[in-house]
Amino acid sequence: MPAIINQKIKIAVASGKGGTGKTLISTNLFHTLTQLDETVVLVDCDAEEPDDLLFFKEALAATFDRNYGGKEQYEVEQSVPVIDQSKCIFCGKCREYCSYNAIFLLEGIKTIRVIEDLCHGCGACSYACQSDAITTKERSLGVISRFITGDNSSIIEARGRVGVYSPVPVIKAAVKAAGEDGIVILDSPPGTSCPFIQTVATADFVILVTEPTPFGLSDLKQSVETLKTMNKSYGVIINRSGMGDDKVYSYLIQEQIPLLMEIPFDREIASLYSKGELLVKHKPQWRALFMEMYKTIYSKHKYGNSSNQR
Amino acid sequence: MKVAITSTGNSPDSKLDSRFGRCSHFVIYDTETKSLEFVPNSNRDNIEGAGPASVQTVASKGVEKVVSGEFGAKVKSIFDSLQIQLIVLKDTDRTISQIISMLNH
């Protein structure tokens, strides 16, 4: 069926607002693309609450390659400093070098401690210390896990450890583990802050999912502004169309942003989703629509052809 | 005993600042000498870690109590280990001088 083989593209599915349908799009797009004769990887980058696997009950745990320890799970760690209070002279050099306020020091009462949540693992404090008082330990930030759903299709899930301040390193590891070949779908976390940036950073194309409501529009604008500064190609899917108002549509026209797909506000779609079922499995017409959208995105990426959009 | 109060400005008529780490000023009040010191919060615009940095600011002044509208998750354990008492005041309409008279009661 595919005219082109060895397709290579990374597509991120993102939104500013939470709950607009990123997972709905990611999982259905992924499943649609598994019918191509290509390697397809879905990366669940929503490390604070990964849920893509709920839609693939048949997924089997699989091992990573040797770069990732060769096991089914890979622990994402970060080095944090450990300060030996018997060697520390409370000079304050490490605190001075730390850009993240991760060293707490009260010279007066000889108190020093590391605020691990603020540490970025840069190692500047170890470099600064003249008293040999700083060693490091590894701290677990989360795990990435690999699953296979078919001959050429796999899912990598990023899951942050509860209580860890930032999911970014875990997301980064998951995206990297997906490799550079084949089709990679990145299901982004909501928002437009660091976790979103990390997810879309390596993407060739970003699908922004929104809904036609004031909240949807407000957060869409923020996402678009962010992607503009990153020089990314992107398009928009309007989910739950038919509700709300038409301001999102006017915005897309005004900004000349391609509308990739519209999904109606439909009880049956919501019901399937809530049961962990894939829309494209139950309603084949959607499989065709997802495939068509993918082809548009791929040809735009490959040939810079945007004539068939909007 | 010294008490730190988060303030929106640098006068006794300023209102309580509801945030700890990113407040405008810290008022250091000495309950014995009744002296007041206004310390501008140099951590308020920090990208990260304004809370712990502000603990450092007030703790280095030797305070035993801190009055603010709220305290973030990262600072509570540090204050605990330093045995500094936290007082949460939800009524942010109060001025610094009103809070001081409450402390003197």
Side-chain angles (χ1 to χ4, degrees), chain B:
Chain B
M1 178 190 63
K2 282 184 178 173
V3 183
I5 306 164
T6 56
S7 171
T8 54
N10 60 357
S11 96
D13 298 327
S14 304
K15 289 187 172 156
L16 175 80
D17 199 319
S18 58
R19 304 156 307 167
F20 170 71
R22 297 183 190 278
C23 69
S24 169
H25 287 71
F26 293 105
V27 182
I28 311 295
Y29 174 64
D30 189 323
T31 54
E32 270 122 62
T33 65
K34 312 285 181 201
S35 71
L36 277 183
E37 182 191 355
F38 288 86
V39 183
N41 182 4
S42 56
N43 315 307
R44 61 181 302 190
D45 294 324
N46 280 6
I47 293 165
E48 282 186 82
S54 294
V55 178
Q56 224 152 252
T57 306
V58 296
S60 64
K61 293 283 176 186
V63 306
E64 289 172 48
K65 286 183 182 177
V66 184
V67 182
S68 187
E70 58 180 276
F71 297 92
K74 289 189 209 82
V75 305
K76 282 183 180 143
S77 65
I78 312 174
F79 275 127
D80 280 351
S81 68
L82 297 170
Q83 294 186 302
I84 293 173
Q85 192 190 350
L86 305 183
I87 301 170
V88 176
L89 204 57
K90 284 295 172 199
D91 188 2
T92 53
D93 267 350
R94 283 183 206 271
T95 63
I96 298 306
S97 47
Q98 284 171 330
I99 293 166
I100 286 170
S101 68
M102 287 163 75
L103 287 167
N104 286 333
H105 257 309

Side-chain angles (χ1 to χ4, degrees), chain A residues 95 100-101 103-106 109 111 113 115 117-118 120 165, chain B residues 46 48-50 52-53 55-56 59-60 74 77-78 81-82:
Chain A
R95 184 184 59 184
Y100 308 102
N101 287 315
I103 308 255
F104 178 85
L105 171 67
L106 287 174
I109 53 166
T111 297
R113 67 147 93 179
I115 319 277
D117 277 341
L118 292 173
H120 285 221
Y165 186 60
Chain B
N46 280 6
E48 282 186 82
V55 178
Q56 224 152 252
S60 64
K74 289 189 209 82
S77 65
I78 312 174
S81 68
L82 297 170

Side-chain angles (χ1 to χ4, degrees), chain A residues 72-87:
Chain A
E72 290 167 1
Q73 291 199 324
Y74 173 77
E75 193 94 20
V76 183
E77 294 176 327
Q78 183 201 325
S79 295
V80 289
V82 179
I83 299 172
D84 184 341
Q85 303 238 7
S86 67
K87 289 185 183 166

